[in-house]
């Protein structure tokens, strides 16, 4: 109970303000680019190239669902992993917010294309349940991605934002002795790096579990 009282909404809000703002911005970017992906794909499907792409997608989807649950999940996992690794690398540079924004937009654009292609494929037979399960399975995956994007951007802003007078380290995100101890100035903070890497390892594990959940929903439900 004491820990819950200490982690009150009043005290947590200022500390995680940057993280919350980054999450809101990246969520908005993701939503807008997802809609853009759906619109662009719909426009392409009305062309000759779009018809050929739809036929290729049908073969791709049939092959994917025929391979089983693990290959299905590995396909999604390997599609997301390069972006996560890129976000992890850029998270300790000044370019992290830009890279995370571009990654969120690109990921949403691809998902919008994929969902629209799947909708066109399944509409022929009227079996929409795989699409529903695919989208529901994608929601936790997208959430984990957005959390990692926001975390990376918040770390970058924390590192490269000048320290303001009156700010206390224990009231800042990534503040305190773990991340910003005075004796770590001008040297590598290994505890920060290990914690930073551990969070991304946890994120990668969660992404893989989300991909497994999505595969189970699409193939077994």
């Amino acid at each position: 109970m004491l820990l819950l009282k200490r982690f009150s909404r009043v005290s947590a809000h200022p500390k995680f303000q940057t993280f919350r703002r980054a999450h809101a911005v990246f969520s908005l970017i993701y939503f807008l680019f997802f809609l853009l992906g759906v619109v662009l794909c719909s426009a392409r499907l009305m062309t000759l190239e779009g018809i050929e792409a739809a036929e290729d997608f049908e073969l791709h989807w049939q092959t994917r669902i025929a391979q089983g649950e693990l290959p299905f999940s590995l396909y999604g996992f390997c599609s997301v992993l390069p972006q996560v690794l890129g976000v992890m690398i850029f998270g300790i540079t000044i370019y992290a917010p830009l890279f995370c924004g571009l990654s969120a937009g690109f990921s949403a654009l691809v998902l919008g294309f994929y969902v629209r292609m799947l909708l066109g494929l399944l509409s022929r037979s009227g079996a929409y349940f795989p699409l529903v399960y695919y989208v529901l399975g994608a929601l936790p995956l997208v959430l984990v991605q957005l959390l990692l994007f926001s975390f990376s951007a918040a770390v970058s802003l924390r590192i490269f934002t000048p320290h303001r007078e009156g700010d206390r380290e224990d009231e800042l995100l990534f503040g305190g002795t773990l991340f910003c101890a005075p004796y770590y100035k001008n040297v590598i903070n290994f505890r920060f790096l290990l914690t930073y890497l551990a969070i991304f390892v946890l994120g990668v594990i969660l992404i893989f579990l989300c991909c497994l959940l999505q595969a189970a929903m699409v193939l077994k439900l």
Side-chain angles (χ1 to χ4, degrees), residues 4-58:
L4 291 177
K5 290 181 180 179
R6 290 182 63 184
F7 193 75
S8 62
R9 186 178 183 86
V10 176
S11 61
H13 177 73
K15 180 179 290 189
F16 292 92
Q17 189 174 31
T18 301
F19 178 86
R20 291 157 65 93
R21 288 178 177 176
H23 187 270
V25 171
F26 294 145
S27 297
L28 179 60
I29 291 175
Y30 204 101
F31 177 73
L32 294 178
F33 273 81
F34 174 81
L35 294 181
L36 179 62
V38 173
V39 172
L40 292 178
C41 184
S42 300
R44 188 187 181 193
L45 287 175
M46 292 186 290
T47 64
L48 293 177
E49 294 80 4
I51 296 175
E52 295 179 357
E55 294 175 350
D56 294 337
F57 181 82
E58 182 176 3

Side-chain angles (χ1 to χ4, degrees), residues 81-109:
L81 185 60
Q83 289 185 2
V84 175
L85 295 178
V87 167
M88 181 185 69
I89 294 172
F90 278 90
I92 54 177
T93 72
I94 198 173
Y95 304 105
L98 176 61
F99 185 83
C100 291
L102 293 175
S103 297
F106 178 77
S107 179
L109 196 67

Side-chain angles (χ1 to χ4, degrees), residues 144-160:
V144 175
Q145 284 184 272
L146 291 175
L147 290 176
L148 290 179
F149 293 163
S150 304
F151 171 74
S152 178
V155 169
S156 175
L157 292 173
R158 175 68 183 90
I159 294 174
F160 295 101

